[in-house]
Amino acid sequence: MKIDISTDSPLKHTSPALVVGCFEDARDELFTACDKALDGCLDRLAVSREFSGKVNTTRLLHTLGRLPAERLLLVGLGKRSELDNERLRQAAGTAVQALRVARVASFATVLHLSGRPEAALELVCEGTLLGSYCFDRYKTRDRDEQFGFEGMTLLLPKGSDRKITRSRIERTSVVCQGVRLARDLVSQPGNVATPAFLAETARELAKQHKLEFRVYEYEELEELGMNALVAVGKGSSELPRLIVLEYRGAGQKDRPVVIIGKGITFDSGGISIKPGAGMEEMKTDMAGSAAVLGAMQAVAGLKLNINLVGIIATAENMPDGKAYKPGDVITSFSGTTIEITNTDAEGRMVLCDALHYARRYKPSAMIDLATLTGACVVALGHEASGLMGNNRHLVNSLKLAGERCGERVWELPLWDSYGETMKSDIADLKNAGSRDGGSITAGWFLKQFVGATHWAHLDIAGTAWVDKSRPCAPKGATGVGVRLLIEYLNCL
Ligand code: BES
Ligand code: MN
Ligand code: ZN
């Protein structure tokens, strides 16, 4: 969606719709002016409680020539004293979703005037760009019924600096493009988004943004000894890969941050096969790698002054005569041996080799993102990603980044004693222990492969995909992780 700016007065600007924020307990000048132009209609709506400004509610009115805007879309902001960044972001998402329902393709907004001037512009742009997302690539029927947004015009106070405003909008839209890339990749079905497809996507990204690119194909993975990644990929005719992207925005000597994504393009569970119901959702098991690609794109677009490496361990987890199986012992890339007790615990297998590989960069920090455990969904639902790590500063920074950007994370403990159930009689480790504390034992397993490197693990199993629409994430893929990483990296 195109975003324009104008210094027209909201009462004089012509557009198909004007979006106005409304508090439950306060009225600003603009609201009062609109009310007056509409002969007290807004006041009526409040008195009759048809629209009282509650959070994330909307009301669309036709102005019938009383205002140059054809329609007025009121968006609830709740109590004035409770308006925070996330509320404003969500209000913008709620508004744009209501406009989609009404099929209003272009509109003007003054929502940003309700928030703090330092941040409101970005928040409204972000909410709008995220809330207007729709994945309809495979809808071929009723083409003429399909709807696409044209543009939004931000109405600014007279005397606003256009250049600064434009660059603020541009930076926000670069980040949202990253989120949209991640959402697209996660939305794609497993027969399209294969390991080869992820590698091609990364290659194109590298070409566009002048990143270093490398992909390790099957034979090279075998030669290198990435046997854990190879083992998971063995049951599929879609061969596994390790994909590496390097962005240089700082000096040679600056140690990079490494971000690592789980890229299981379909997780059937393998020989420890999953139940059929809901298995289609396992096309989203590459959401960690989608977040890595989205974040690499955004960081390159923003030209951040950091060095960043993105690593993707990708495979399809399938049952087959060649598939790895329970009881197998695999010597991982690090040399640590792993007894397979459940082939459905494949994410930690592909990640352990990627984490070990990442250490060659001597990173200042490494962060992995993975739809790793169903247990994380049980623990935190869809409201927060699980966070674990071995470094207090890194963990706290990610928590703060999560608060600021609205992608919340919640820390789980990683005490050594959680490792008891991961001990094997035959090898160094088992890949799956008891069901209890499943997210933590998975995190504990990963920790065995990071050495002393500062490391954090984000379990996004519950946050990468939502069954019910949210203001800034229509149902489906959320692109979680991209904004969190950018927020974290931006504050380094
Ligand atoms: N990809 C799944 C985890 C998952 C579950 C992601 C639900 C998104 C929604 C992962 O590979 C998996 O199967 N984990 C197992 C681990 C167990 C076998 C130790 C799980 O959570 O049941
Ligand atoms: Mn699995
Ligand atoms: Zn999985």
Side-chain angles (χ1 to χ4, degrees), residues 60-170:
L60 187 64
L61 307 167
H62 280 260
T63 62
L64 307 173
R66 290 168 195 227
L67 283 170
E70 271 177 65
R71 303 173 186 81
L72 203 58
L73 179 71
L74 307 174
V75 189
L77 295 171
K79 299 214 162 65
R80 173 172 258 162
S81 62
E82 290 171 6
L83 182 72
D84 58 10
N85 286 358
E86 181 60 12
R87 267 208 188 162
L88 188 57
R89 197 184 276 121
Q90 289 195 11
T94 301
V96 80
Q97 292 200 40
L99 291 167
R100 176 184 288 283
V101 172
R103 305 177 72 80
V104 177
S106 72
F107 57 98
T109 188
V110 289
L111 258 183
H112 51 287
L113 301 181
S114 301
R116 292 182 306 118
E118 318 86 84
L121 200 77
E122 282 86 347
L123 295 167
V124 169
C125 291
E126 194 171 279
T128 303
L129 293 171
L130 298 177
S132 61
Y133 179 80
C134 172
F135 186 81
D136 54 10
R137 200 158 300 188
Y138 297 104
K139 294 281 194 188
T140 69
R141 300 255 173 106
D142 309 320
R143 275 261 183 239
D144 42 327
E145 296 258 300
Q146 268 172 44
F147 173 83
F149 282 104
E150 278 157 27
M152 169 170 84
T153 304
L154 290 157
L155 299 181
L156 303 169
K158 299 242 181 312
S160 303
D161 186 321
R162 283 187 172 254
K163 216 171 141 205
I164 294 178
T165 308
R166 287 224 175 278
S167 111
R168 288 171 69 185
I169 295 170
E170 181 52 32

Side-chain angles (χ1 to χ4, degrees), residues 84-90 123 126-127 130 175 179 183 382-385 397-410 463 466 470-473 478-488:
D84 58 10
N85 286 358
E86 181 60 12
R87 267 208 188 162
L88 188 57
R89 197 184 276 121
Q90 289 195 11
L123 295 167
E126 194 171 279
L130 298 177
V175 176
V179 178
R183 286 181 181 178
H382 308 281
E383 298 305 311
S385 303
S397 302
L398 285 167
K399 282 187 191 174
L400 288 173
E403 287 299 327
R404 282 196 303 268
C405 76
E407 291 190 348
R408 291 183 291 191
V409 297
W410 198 258
T463 48
V466 287
R470 291 154 183 247
C472 298
T478 61
V480 74
V482 176
R483 286 189 302 125
L484 178 67
L485 287 171
I486 299 303
E487 187 67 40
Y488 165 76

Side-chain angles (χ1 to χ4, degrees), residues 262 264 266-269 274 282 284-286 317 343-348 370-374:
K262 168 177 172 180
I264 300 298
F266 183 69
D267 181 12
S268 70
K274 287 181 182 294
M282 283 302 121
T284 68
D285 212 16
M286 34 58 75
N317 188 21
T343 63
D344 199 10
E346 85 296 338
R348 60 197 78 180
T371 45
L372 204 63
T373 64

